[in-house]
PDB file of all heavy atoms in Angstrom:
ATOM      1  N   SER X  71       1.959  43.383   4.723  1.00 63.00           N
ATOM      2  CA  SER X  71       1.362  42.107   4.502  1.00 63.00           C
ATOM      3  C   SER X  71       2.134  41.257   3.523  1.00 63.00           C
ATOM      4  O   SER X  71       2.222  40.071   3.597  1.00 63.00           O
ATOM      5  CB  SER X  71      -0.129  42.207   4.122  1.00 63.00           C
ATOM      6  OG  SER X  71      -0.882  42.849   5.172  1.00 63.00           O
ATOM      7  N   VAL X  72       2.535  42.006   2.453  1.00 63.00           N
ATOM      8  CA  VAL X  72       3.300  41.366   1.375  1.00 63.00           C
ATOM      9  C   VAL X  72       4.639  40.745   1.882  1.00 63.00           C
ATOM     10  O   VAL X  72       4.925  39.640   1.630  1.00 63.00           O
ATOM     11  CB  VAL X  72       3.547  42.282   0.175  1.00 63.00           C
ATOM     12  CG1 VAL X  72       4.525  41.580  -0.740  1.00 63.00           C
ATOM     13  CG2 VAL X  72       2.231  42.641  -0.468  1.00 63.00           C
ATOM     14  N   ILE X  73       5.224  41.542   2.671  1.00 63.00           N
ATOM     15  CA  ILE X  73       6.626  40.943   3.217  1.00 63.00           C
ATOM     16  C   ILE X  73       6.496  40.129   4.404  1.00 63.00           C
ATOM     17  O   ILE X  73       7.394  39.560   4.983  1.00 63.00           O
ATOM     18  CB  ILE X  73       7.593  42.150   3.544  1.00 63.00           C
ATOM     19  CG1 ILE X  73       6.954  43.011   4.761  1.00 63.00           C
ATOM     20  CG2 ILE X  73       7.778  42.932   2.291  1.00 63.00           C
ATOM     21  CD1 ILE X  73       7.909  44.043   5.108  1.00 63.00           C
ATOM     22  N   GLY X  74       5.210  39.922   4.913  1.00 53.00           N
ATOM     23  CA  GLY X  74       4.921  39.063   6.065  1.00 53.00           C
ATOM     24  C   GLY X  74       5.141  39.701   7.393  1.00 53.00           C
ATOM     25  O   GLY X  74       5.122  39.024   8.421  1.00 53.00           O
ATOM     26  N   PHE X  75       5.436  41.023   7.420  1.00 55.00           N
ATOM     27  CA  PHE X  75       5.564  41.562   8.705  1.00 55.00           C
ATOM     28  C   PHE X  75       4.317  41.609   9.513  1.00 55.00           C
ATOM     29  O   PHE X  75       4.318  41.651  10.745  1.00 55.00           O
ATOM     30  CB  PHE X  75       6.163  43.068   8.508  1.00 55.00           C
ATOM     31  CG  PHE X  75       6.484  43.866   9.706  1.00 55.00           C
ATOM     32  CD1 PHE X  75       7.595  43.469  10.473  1.00 55.00           C
ATOM     33  CD2 PHE X  75       5.609  44.777  10.124  1.00 55.00           C
ATOM     34  CE1 PHE X  75       7.904  44.139  11.578  1.00 55.00           C
ATOM     35  CE2 PHE X  75       6.007  45.491  11.424  1.00 55.00           C
ATOM     36  CZ  PHE X  75       7.148  45.153  12.020  1.00 55.00           C
ATOM     37  N   ILE X  76       3.102  41.815   8.891  1.00 55.00           N
ATOM     38  CA  ILE X  76       1.908  41.803   9.524  1.00 55.00           C
ATOM     39  C   ILE X  76       1.002  40.807   8.974  1.00 55.00           C
ATOM     40  O   ILE X  76       0.954  40.546   7.731  1.00 55.00           O
ATOM     41  CB  ILE X  76       1.221  43.269   9.398  1.00 55.00           C
ATOM     42  CG1 ILE X  76       2.073  44.326  10.112  1.00 55.00           C
ATOM     43  CG2 ILE X  76      -0.217  43.243   9.884  1.00 55.00           C
ATOM     44  CD1 ILE X  76       1.508  45.738   9.870  1.00 55.00           C
ATOM     45  N   ARG X  77       0.291  40.059   9.816  1.00 54.00           N
ATOM     46  CA  ARG X  77      -0.686  39.065   9.347  1.00 54.00           C
ATOM     47  C   ARG X  77      -1.875  39.104  10.323  1.00 54.00           C
ATOM     48  O   ARG X  77      -1.829  39.276  11.435  1.00 54.00           O
ATOM     49  CB  ARG X  77       0.031  37.620   9.422  1.00 54.00           C
ATOM     50  CG  ARG X  77       0.434  37.184  10.721  1.00 54.00           C
ATOM     51  CD  ARG X  77       1.241  35.920  10.678  1.00 54.00           C
ATOM     52  NE  ARG X  77       1.939  35.561  11.940  1.00 54.00           N
ATOM     53  CZ  ARG X  77       1.236  34.781  12.779  1.00 54.00           C
ATOM     54  NH1 ARG X  77       0.091  34.283  12.607  1.00 54.00           N
ATOM     55  NH2 ARG X  77       1.899  34.463  13.906  1.00 54.00           N
ATOM     56  N   ILE X  78      -3.021  38.837   9.636  1.00 51.00           N
ATOM     57  CA  ILE X  78      -4.381  38.851  10.404  1.00 51.00           C
ATOM     58  C   ILE X  78      -4.416  37.594  11.113  1.00 51.00           C
ATOM     59  O   ILE X  78      -4.912  37.557  12.321  1.00 51.00           O
ATOM     60  CB  ILE X  78      -5.449  39.125   9.444  1.00 51.00           C
ATOM     61  CG1 ILE X  78      -5.331  40.465   8.862  1.00 51.00           C
ATOM     62  CG2 ILE X  78      -6.812  39.006  10.132  1.00 51.00           C
ATOM     63  CD1 ILE X  78      -6.417  40.863   7.830  1.00 51.00           C
ATOM     64  N   ALA X  79      -4.296  36.372  10.489  1.00 49.00           N
ATOM     65  CA  ALA X  79      -4.500  35.152  11.085  1.00 49.00           C
ATOM     66  C   ALA X  79      -3.093  34.530  11.357  1.00 49.00           C
ATOM     67  O   ALA X  79      -2.189  34.702  10.653  1.00 49.00           O
ATOM     68  CB  ALA X  79      -5.276  34.256  10.209  1.00 49.00           C
ATOM     69  N   PRO X  80      -3.019  33.630  12.387  1.00 50.00           N
ATOM     70  CA  PRO X  80      -1.661  32.976  12.706  1.00 50.00           C
ATOM     71  C   PRO X  80      -1.414  32.050  11.587  1.00 50.00           C
ATOM     72  O   PRO X  80      -2.190  31.484  10.907  1.00 50.00           O
ATOM     73  CB  PRO X  80      -1.955  32.300  14.034  1.00 50.00           C
ATOM     74  CG  PRO X  80      -3.435  32.030  14.087  1.00 50.00           C
ATOM     75  CD  PRO X  80      -4.051  33.228  13.412  1.00 50.00           C
ATOM     76  N   ARG X  81      -0.026  31.786  11.392  1.00 49.00           N
ATOM     77  CA  ARG X  81       0.360  30.844  10.379  1.00 49.00           C
ATOM     78  C   ARG X  81       0.046  29.417  10.744  1.00 49.00           C
ATOM     79  O   ARG X  81      -0.187  29.120  11.914  1.00 49.00           O
ATOM     80  CB  ARG X  81       1.890  31.059  10.143  1.00 49.00           C
ATOM     81  CG  ARG X  81       2.297  32.403   9.534  1.00 49.00           C
ATOM     82  CD  ARG X  81       3.753  32.455   9.388  1.00 49.00           C
ATOM     83  NE  ARG X  81       4.194  33.639   8.723  1.00 49.00           N
ATOM     84  CZ  ARG X  81       5.465  34.050   8.550  1.00 49.00           C
ATOM     85  NH1 ARG X  81       6.499  33.221   8.915  1.00 49.00           N
ATOM     86  NH2 ARG X  81       5.830  35.143   8.005  1.00 49.00           N
ATOM     87  N   SER X  82       0.157  28.525   9.855  1.00 49.00           N
ATOM     88  CA  SER X  82      -0.045  27.056  10.047  1.00 49.00           C
ATOM     89  C   SER X  82       0.984  26.598  10.968  1.00 49.00           C
ATOM     90  O   SER X  82       2.104  27.027  10.926  1.00 49.00           O
ATOM     91  CB  SER X  82      -0.135  26.328   8.722  1.00 49.00           C
ATOM     92  OG  SER X  82      -0.198  24.883   8.963  1.00 49.00           O
ATOM     93  N   SER X  83       0.675  25.567  11.766  1.00 47.00           N
ATOM     94  CA  SER X  83       1.657  25.018  12.778  1.00 47.00           C
ATOM     95  C   SER X  83       2.790  24.281  12.018  1.00 47.00           C
ATOM     96  O   SER X  83       3.856  24.002  12.561  1.00 47.00           O
ATOM     97  CB  SER X  83       0.975  24.115  13.728  1.00 47.00           C
ATOM     98  OG  SER X  83       0.312  23.034  12.913  1.00 47.00           O
ATOM     99  N   GLY X  84       2.548  23.914  10.737  1.00 49.00           N
ATOM    100  CA  GLY X  84       3.620  23.148   9.997  1.00 49.00           C
ATOM    101  C   GLY X  84       3.681  23.839   8.675  1.00 49.00           C
ATOM    102  O   GLY X  84       2.849  24.620   8.233  1.00 49.00           O
TER     103      GLY X  84
END
Side-chain angles (χ1 to χ4, degrees):
S71 298
V72 170
I73 66 175
F75 184 75
I76 295 177
R77 55 190 175 92
I78 296 177
R81 291 180 179 176
S82 175
S83 59

